[in-house]
């Protein structure tokens, strides 16, 4: 009998592409189990994948989050007993199905690259469920279902039409919006970039090349900013000049708008990582602002300003089109916590505006607690402030001024032109 070999037995090689699927699994686990923002989890989750594989992991996770209720409905339709929500088998099936049904990955590659994710687990179950679904020829619905808790909350606040608009909006990633440093160059950049413009100073692109490869990026002629996100600073830029304070400013789109409009801007943010991006954006666009790393609840300016922009921390449910993880992470306790923080910031910052000056309060939220209710609370506490309704010409066509003088963008607005993020924006004037 020959002696046993002393050489170690090599584990079989995993299918090409498995590491990116493992990274997608880590991303989904970070969002769905630990409640982390998708972008925040990206660095750690993709530390062992590079280049296109990192982008693929992000794309897979984002599409799973866009389609999660519908993917789970498919899985549950062919299993005798529902798999636990956090079961690795369910996660692997979500990843395989979104590749096959949304991203166009060949079926054999979609399943082969996720089976290693359940090594030591129910591989036969995963393979069988996937096979049963794809053989049936079933497709995901054209209009995705929102998570039930989100649908219930938004329908109570805004009605069924808004919920339908939100479901339509999440079906695909949104177009790319750019804000121009010089609105007078709108026609030039529409032509050079091959986009469309919804108002002066704005260009919208569909299926654009990577941002850094687009004409005008290196020269700082524009920056990425959803058209709804540009509204808060537009309402101050109309009276450009003097001193402006931009609170919670990074990564800096609104700071750039105010600086381009002629304000001397003090940009305040507590996050060093986000401040780094703000400085990079200022350098690239050759615009100037005083950058201050500070907690706005501890910092105070040396003197009141002519204009104050409070783009307050919030639940960020208004940017669900590009960050679908918010639909699964945010719940009423987080919304209430953010609303209290906003109230504290507004109460402290309201004294930093000169009499006759303007304050703009904004949140990228679709929650009334972080918008309409917050405004009512502030005005009840500060009789020295009054709503200053914006001129319709400052808003994109199709975005109205509410009867009470503020602006609310919501799913369904500008739908024929590619939609917009959900924002609440109120411009106030200090009367005394």
């Amino acid at each position: 009998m020959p002696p046993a070999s002393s050489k170690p037995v090599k584990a079989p090689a995993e299918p090409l592409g498995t590491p990116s699927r493992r990274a997608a699994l880590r991303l989904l686990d970070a969002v769905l189990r630990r409640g982390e923002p998708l972008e925040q989890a990206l660095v750690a989750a993709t530390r062992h994948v590079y280049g296109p594989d990192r982008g693929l992991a992000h794309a897979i996770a984002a599409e799973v989050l866009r389609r999660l209720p519908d993917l789970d409905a498919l899985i549950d339709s062919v299993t005798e007993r529902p798999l636990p929500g956090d079961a690795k088998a369910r996660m692997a099936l979500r990843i395989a199905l979104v590749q096959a049904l949304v991203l166009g990955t060949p079926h054999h590659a979609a399943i082969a690259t996720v089976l290693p994710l359940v090594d030591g687990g129910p591989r036969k179950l995963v393979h069988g469920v996937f096979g049963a679904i794809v053989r049936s020829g079933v497709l995901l619905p054209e209009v995705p279902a929102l998570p039930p808790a989100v649908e219930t909350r938004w329908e109570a606040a805004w009605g069924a039409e808004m919920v339908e608009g939100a479901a339509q909006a999440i079906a695909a990633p949104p177009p790319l919006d750019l804000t121009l440093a010089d609105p007078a160059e709108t026609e030039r950049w529409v032509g050079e970039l091959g986009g469309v413009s919804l108002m002066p100073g704005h260009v919208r692109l569909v299926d654009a090349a990577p941002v850094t490869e687009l004409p005008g990026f290196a020269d700082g002629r524009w920056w990425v900013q959803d058209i709804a996100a540009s509204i808060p600073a537009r309402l101050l830029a109309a009276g450009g000049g003097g001193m402006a304070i931009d609170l919670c400013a990074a990564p800096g789109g609104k700071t750039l708008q105010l600086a381009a409009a002629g304000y001397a801007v003090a940009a305040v943010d507590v996050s060093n990582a986000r401040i780094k991006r703000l400085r990079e954006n200022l350098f690239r666009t050759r615009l100037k602002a005083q950058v201050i790393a500070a907690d706005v609840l501890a910092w105070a300016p040396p003197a009141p300003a002519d204009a104050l922009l409070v783009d307050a921390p919030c639940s960020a449910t208004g940017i669900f089109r590009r960050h679908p993880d918010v639909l699964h992470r945010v719940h009423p306790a987080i919304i209430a916590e953010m609303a209290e923080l906003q109230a504290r910031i507004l109460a402290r910052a309201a004294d930093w505006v000169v009499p006759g000056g303007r304050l703009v309060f904004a949140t990228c939220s679709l929650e009334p607690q972080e918008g309409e209710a917050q405004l009512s609370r502030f005005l009840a506490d500060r009789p020295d402030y009054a709503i200053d309704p914006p001129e319709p010409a400052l808003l994109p066509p199709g975005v109205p001024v509410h009867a009470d003088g503020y602006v609310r963008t919501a799913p369904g607005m500008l739908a024929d032109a590619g939609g917009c993020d959900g924002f609440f924006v109120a411009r106030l004037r200090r009367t005394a």
Side-chain angles (χ1 to χ4, degrees):
M1 182 175 180
S5 173
S6 60
K7 292 182 180 180
V9 178
K10 290 184 179 180
E14 291 185 340
L16 187 67
T18 298
S20 58
R21 278 67 172 184
R22 285 193 188 282
L25 178 65
R26 289 193 291 269
L27 281 170
L28 291 169
D29 184 66
V31 171
L32 298 174
R33 189 170 62 83
R34 299 199 299 273
E36 295 180 19
L38 182 63
E39 303 301 323
Q40 179 180 306
L42 189 61
V43 173
T46 61
R47 61 188 179 276
H48 298 308
V49 296
Y50 307 96
D53 281 346
R54 175 174 289 184
L56 177 59
H58 182 275
I60 291 171
E63 288 303 325
V64 167
L65 294 169
R66 288 182 193 284
R67 302 279 186 166
L68 191 61
D70 297 316
L71 291 167
D72 283 347
L74 281 184
I75 294 167
D76 293 341
S77 72
V78 295
T79 55
E80 291 184 9
R81 297 178 182 176
L83 297 169
D86 60 351
K88 193 171 283 189
R90 184 181 286 277
M91 286 289 205
L93 282 164
R94 290 164 172 167
I95 292 170
L97 288 168
V98 87
Q99 291 178 82
L101 301 180
V102 179
L103 299 178
T105 305
H107 294 176
H108 70 275
I111 187 62
T113 52
V114 304
L115 287 177
L117 307 185
V118 288
D119 274 346
R123 290 172 60 107
K124 287 184 179 179
L125 172 66
V126 171
H127 199 288
V129 170
F130 178 82
I133 292 171
V134 298
R135 282 193 303 271
S136 72
V138 69
L139 299 175
L140 290 168
E142 186 176 340
V143 178
L146 296 176
V150 175
E151 181 174 336
T152 299
R153 190 173 74 240
W154 286 355
E155 186 164 358
W158 311 112
E161 186 176 348
M162 179 276 199
V163 170
E164 176 64 20
Q168 295 275 0
I170 201 174
L176 181 71
D177 282 350
L178 309 178
T179 295
L180 305 181
D182 184 357
E185 294 188 329
T186 302
E187 187 175 347
R188 170 197 168 184
W189 287 109
V190 166
E192 195 158 341
L193 292 165
V196 297
S197 178
L198 304 187
M199 65 184 307
H202 167 265
V203 177
R204 172 163 287 183
L205 307 177
V206 178
D207 297 327
V211 169
T212 56
E213 297 176 11
L214 292 172
F217 173 82
D219 297 332
R221 309 307 291 267
W222 48 260
W223 50 91
V224 175
Q225 186 178 40
D226 186 83
I227 193 166
S230 74
I231 291 174
R234 285 179 182 271
L235 301 193
L236 290 176
M243 178 67 193
I245 300 171
D246 184 8
L247 298 183
C248 314
K254 299 172 183 65
T255 293
L256 301 179
Q257 286 178 273
L258 294 173
Y263 279 105
V265 186
V268 186
D269 202 280
V270 71
S271 167
N272 288 325
R274 288 167 58 85
I275 283 175
K276 181 176 183 290
R277 291 178 59 197
L278 170 56
R279 292 187 187 278
E280 290 169 352
N281 284 326
L282 287 167
F283 179 80
R284 181 175 62 83
T285 57
R286 299 171 179 81
L287 293 169
K288 297 187 181 302
Q290 179 188 9
V291 179
I292 300 166
D295 181 347
V296 299
L297 293 176
W299 175 84
D306 302 288
L308 174 66
L309 177 54
V310 183
D311 184 12
C314 70
S315 64
T317 52
I319 58 174
F320 69 94
R321 299 183 308 156
R322 66 192 76 248
H323 298 289
D325 54 293
V326 300
L327 297 180
H328 306 283
R329 292 189 298 102
V330 172
H331 48 78
I334 289 177
I335 296 165
E337 179 183 348
M338 290 293 98
E340 284 305 308
L341 176 59
Q342 294 154 18
R344 292 173 62 199
I345 292 172
L346 278 171
R348 179 174 175 79
D351 291 330
W352 302 345
V353 180
V354 298
R358 284 170 163 166
L359 182 158
V360 166
F361 168 67
T363 57
C364 57
S365 169
L366 287 167
E367 314 304 329
Q369 286 172 264
E370 300 179 280
E372 291 80 354
Q374 192 71 262
L375 175 63
S376 296
R377 176 178 177 176
F378 176 78
L379 290 175
D381 291 340
R382 295 296 301 235
D384 55 333
Y385 275 90
I387 294 178
D388 183 18
E391 301 81 358
L394 296 177
L395 303 174
V399 174
V401 179
H402 190 274
D404 290 334
Y406 57 77
V407 177
R408 161 63 76 185
T409 63
M413 285 187 181
L414 310 180
D416 291 342
C420 64
D421 286 345
F423 258 81
F424 177 84
V425 188
R427 187 174 69 180
L428 310 169
R429 189 177 291 277
R430 190 172 188 186
T431 57

